[in-house]
Amino acid sequence: MTSSSGPRIVIIGAGVSGVSCAVRLLDYGFQNVLLLEAEPRIGGRVHTIPFGENVIDLGAQWCHGEKDNIIFELANKHNLLESTGDVYENYKCIRSNREVVPESVSQRLKDIVNDSLVTRQMELRNCNGSLGSYLTNKFYEALRRPENSDIDMAIAKEFFENYQKFENSVEASDSLDEVSGRGYLEYWECEGDILLNWKDKGFLEFLRLITKARELNNEFGVLEQRVLLGKRVTQINWRRNDYCVDVKCVGGEVIIADHIILTVSLGVLKEQQITLFEPKLPVEKQRAIDGLAFGTVNKIFMEFPEKFWPDDWTGFTLLWREEDFNEIRGTSRAWLEDVFGFYCVSYQPKILSGWIIGANGRHMETLPEDEVIAGCMYLFRKFLEWDIPEPINFKTSAWHTNANFRGSYSFRSMYTEEVGTNARELAQPLTVVTSPPLTNGGESNANPLYPQTRCDKPIVQFAGEATSDHYYSTVHGAVEAGWREAKRLADFYGMPRNGRKEPRAQL
């Protein structure tokens, strides 16, 4: 990278946040932009692959909501989205003895937990405990009402244990007892349909949209020639005497930049912050990385030779009877306890998608494929009354064992609350105080790379979903974080966007 075409900007991580940031920087008029990506692909935790009759999403799968959701605003113009419908509401609750819980009972149990979605926004404001303790109290309080006295308590307990696993998949937590009640409210849900799928294209189509790859008919769109794949960064030296930063890569290559925008996952930052930065990060930044929580949710996709379930069937959740749990506890199949459901997949008529959370989800990633398949078939045949054929295609996600991710997405834990940190601290850039560079003759150098007054130069910036105040864990949060950091640089240099002059902000 040379300085002849403006400030040298290196974005580490070509996930959605990094790609969105790069496209927006080009839009502002910056030209010297380079993305370094450790994976052999772009997209990060958006990972669409061919499978079955078209594609599946191993990571981000849905556009969550419509109002104030930039993903929806961009994609809906091109008719890319469609409602997933009631797949995750109209499922069957099936016990481990193959007993299907009657609809009259299962719907009332679903209503009880859904009612808490309404009361949470008010009641959690003054909550000093965990989301888990709050939901447990609400659920069993509702069960004690006279109108619910006929519900079998064993079934209710099994249902609630399963529901907690579902909620853990939403949060990416291992246990709801680690999720902060007050912190839960920091997340803002966008109004509208929260399960909008990408038809038969997958979430990767959004990246093709924003990079204009669909129009330009190439792999990276406007980012062509600006992305280096398989480029793992080992160290960031951010306090050089010339106000620049060294980016060291595997193999010894060093790239010098004027600005680094770091979009790697919070999981990677947690694992590598001590060795990645030279000098070490400020204490408040270390606290944010340590204090914000990051967990794992995995998917299991199984394609069968034909659909063995009825047309009006959308999937099922696994309600374990205590005596049946004892069959697997303490055995090599104990990990199956945290597979909480299998559901139909839009545009994939012969596929069921399973979900698994927490430590058992991380353990599953380490198992041989045939062992995972055998475990899933054990579940199908234990819970379902139909003849189940062997699958013809199988795939799981593996977000934790991948050193480039170390998990799925972030949340606010009780520890986050205890240490008193937030996404804003994580998003705060590292700055250096610059003065106008001098020429050899002692005169001010009119180098356009630097403002001609003393100022704080953002030398290492942070983006990604975990840096979003209210849309963490989402793709739209990641996009907005990338745009935020592009605007930070545009403000620093006084760059207009699309011909509109924007005021320069003092950072």
Side-chain angles (χ1 to χ4, degrees):
M1 298 178 69
T2 65
S3 61
S4 59
S5 56
R8 299 161 295 184
I9 305 170
V10 171
I11 300 171
I12 301 175
V16 170
S17 201
V19 167
S20 300
C21 182
V23 172
R24 183 54 61 95
L25 286 168
L26 296 180
D27 196 19
Y28 278 119
F30 294 99
Q31 290 300 314
N32 213 338
V33 178
L34 178 67
L35 288 94
L36 306 180
E37 171 54 55
E39 288 282 297
R41 60 178 180 83
I42 67 169
R45 283 165 279 169
V46 167
H47 191 191
T48 304
I49 64 168
F51 189 90
E53 298 194 1
N54 42 78
V55 298
I56 54 173
D57 279 309
L58 293 176
Q61 186 167 342
W62 295 288
C63 171
H64 293 300
E66 301 170 41
K67 185 178 179 181
D68 297 324
N69 186 327
I70 193 59
I71 303 286
F72 178 81
E73 292 173 14
L74 294 173
N76 195 50
K77 298 174 184 176
H78 300 272
N79 194 31
L80 295 175
L81 298 170
E82 183 175 273
S83 176
T84 303
D86 60 359
V87 170
Y88 288 82
E89 297 173 3
N90 196 32
Y91 55 84
K92 299 297 182 183
C93 296
I94 304 181
R95 306 180 77 194
S96 49
N97 61 353
R98 296 186 177 180
E99 175 189 344
V100 179
V101 178
E103 192 70 23
S104 59
V105 175
S106 64
Q107 189 56 55
R108 285 158 66 193
L109 291 169
K110 293 175 187 178
D111 289 342
I112 289 173
V113 294
N114 287 337
D115 287 346
S116 75
L117 289 170
V118 178
T119 60
R120 287 179 207 182
Q121 298 304 313
M122 290 297 295
E123 295 178 349
L124 285 175
R125 292 178 185 176
N126 301 313
C127 175
N128 293 318
S130 69
L131 179 63
S133 60
Y134 169 80
L135 291 179
T136 300
N137 289 335
K138 293 292 291 186
F139 182 77
Y140 286 103
E141 179 184 289
L143 275 183
R144 287 193 292 269
R145 294 174 190 154
E147 64 268 26
N148 294 321
S149 60
D150 61 320
I151 296 179
D152 186 310
M153 285 299 293
I155 292 176
K157 180 177 180 291
E158 293 161 11
F159 174 89
F160 187 64
E161 287 176 347
N162 180 275
Y163 173 73
Q164 290 179 90
K165 295 172 190 175
F166 175 85
E167 280 287 340
N168 278 312
S169 77
V170 174
E171 297 298 316
S173 50
D174 285 10
S175 165
L176 293 183
D177 289 335
E178 66 180 320
V179 181
S180 165
R182 276 201 299 257
Y184 173 87
L185 295 182
E186 290 184 18
Y187 179 81
W188 292 355
E189 187 170 288
C190 298
E191 294 178 17
D193 195 327
I194 61 171
L195 293 180
L196 293 163
N197 67 69
W198 296 84
K199 301 182 180 179
D200 57 351
K201 297 291 190 297
F203 218 127
L204 185 64
E205 193 68 6
F206 176 72
L207 285 176
R208 291 176 46 78
L209 174 66
I210 61 173
T211 60
K212 296 184 170 59
R214 301 167 84 237
E215 302 169 30
L216 299 174
N217 197 29
N218 62 25
E219 186 175 5
F220 301 133
V222 296
L223 300 181
E224 199 77 15
Q225 308 301 316
R226 300 180 188 274
V227 182
L228 296 181
L229 299 176
K231 189 68 70 172
R232 186 191 299 272
V233 172
T234 59
Q235 192 174 72
I236 299 169
N237 185 341
W238 57 281
R239 273 203 182 154
R240 287 169 46 119
N241 292 332
D242 58 358
Y243 314 120
C244 294
V245 57
D246 284 346
V247 179
K248 297 180 182 179
C249 303
V250 170
E253 181 181 2
V254 176
I255 300 171
I256 299 176
D258 297 289
H259 305 275
I260 295 294
I261 302 175
L262 197 60
T263 72
V264 300
S265 77
L266 178 59
V268 169
L269 288 177
K270 283 178 176 291
E271 181 179 70
Q272 299 183 16
Q273 66 156 313
I274 300 301
T275 59
L276 186 60
F277 297 96
E278 178 60 40
K280 289 183 171 49
L281 292 172
V283 171
E284 60 272 16
K285 183 71 68 177
Q286 293 186 39
R287 182 177 64 236
I289 293 171
D290 181 48
L292 293 170
F294 194 75
T296 304
V297 181
N298 276 315
K299 301 179 188 179
I300 303 167
F301 290 95
M302 303 182 74
E303 182 185 16
F304 294 92
E306 64 267 338
K307 185 171 76 169
F308 59 80
W309 53 90
D311 289 340
D312 62 349
W313 192 81
T314 63
F316 73 107
T317 53
L318 292 78
L319 274 54
W320 283 95
R321 300 188 310 159
E322 190 64 29
E323 57 265 41
D324 293 324
F325 258 147
N326 294 330
E327 287 184 15
I328 61 171
R329 282 180 176 154
T331 75
S332 61
R333 286 184 171 168
W335 62 273
L336 292 169
E337 183 173 344
D338 282 328
V339 178
F340 62 82
F342 286 89
Y343 306 87
C344 295
V345 180
S346 301
Y347 291 87
Q348 292 280 18
K350 295 183 289 186
I351 289 178
L352 292 177
S353 173
W355 294 79
I356 183 171
I357 59 163
N360 283 325
R362 293 188 288 274
H363 175 68
M364 181 202 70
E365 297 182 27
T366 68
L367 298 176
E369 181 178 290
D370 59 351
E371 192 171 331
V372 179
I373 294 174
C376 292
M377 293 306 295
Y378 165 83
L379 291 179
F380 279 124
R381 288 164 178 160
K382 182 166 188 61
F383 280 80
L384 301 178
E385 60 183 358
W386 306 308
D387 290 331
I388 316 293
E390 290 294 319
I392 58 173
N393 212 351
F394 179 85
K395 185 69 177 178
T396 68
S397 59
W399 292 110
H400 183 262
T401 51
N402 189 323
N404 299 324
F405 302 102
R406 293 303 187 209
S408 303
Y409 38 87
S410 64
F411 65 98
R412 305 294 181 259
S413 69
M414 295 298 290
Y415 183 63
T416 309
E417 193 171 310
E418 179 184 334
V419 300
T421 192
N422 52 53
R424 195 160 300 175
E425 281 193 343
L426 181 60
Q428 190 67 22
L430 306 180
T431 62
V432 292
V433 179
T434 65
S435 298
L438 301 179
T439 64
N440 290 337
E443 297 178 355
S444 178
N445 180 7
N447 187 333
L449 286 180
Y450 301 101
Q452 297 305 299
T453 58
R454 286 179 63 86
C455 61
D456 290 337
K457 173 187 175 183
I459 195 163
V460 179
Q461 298 163 246
F462 296 81
E465 55 85 12
T467 71
S468 173
D469 280 334
H470 302 297
Y471 294 143
Y472 55 89
S473 80
T474 69
V475 180
H476 54 277
V479 171
E480 290 192 358
W483 287 357
R484 179 195 66 223
E485 296 311 309
K487 186 177 186 301
R488 194 188 300 275
L489 285 186
D491 288 347
F492 183 75
Y493 288 104
M495 300 281 283
R497 176 171 175 255
N498 294 332
R500 299 190 300 271
K501 187 70 174 179
E502 293 186 340
R504 174 173 165 171
Q506 184 67 37
L507 301 178

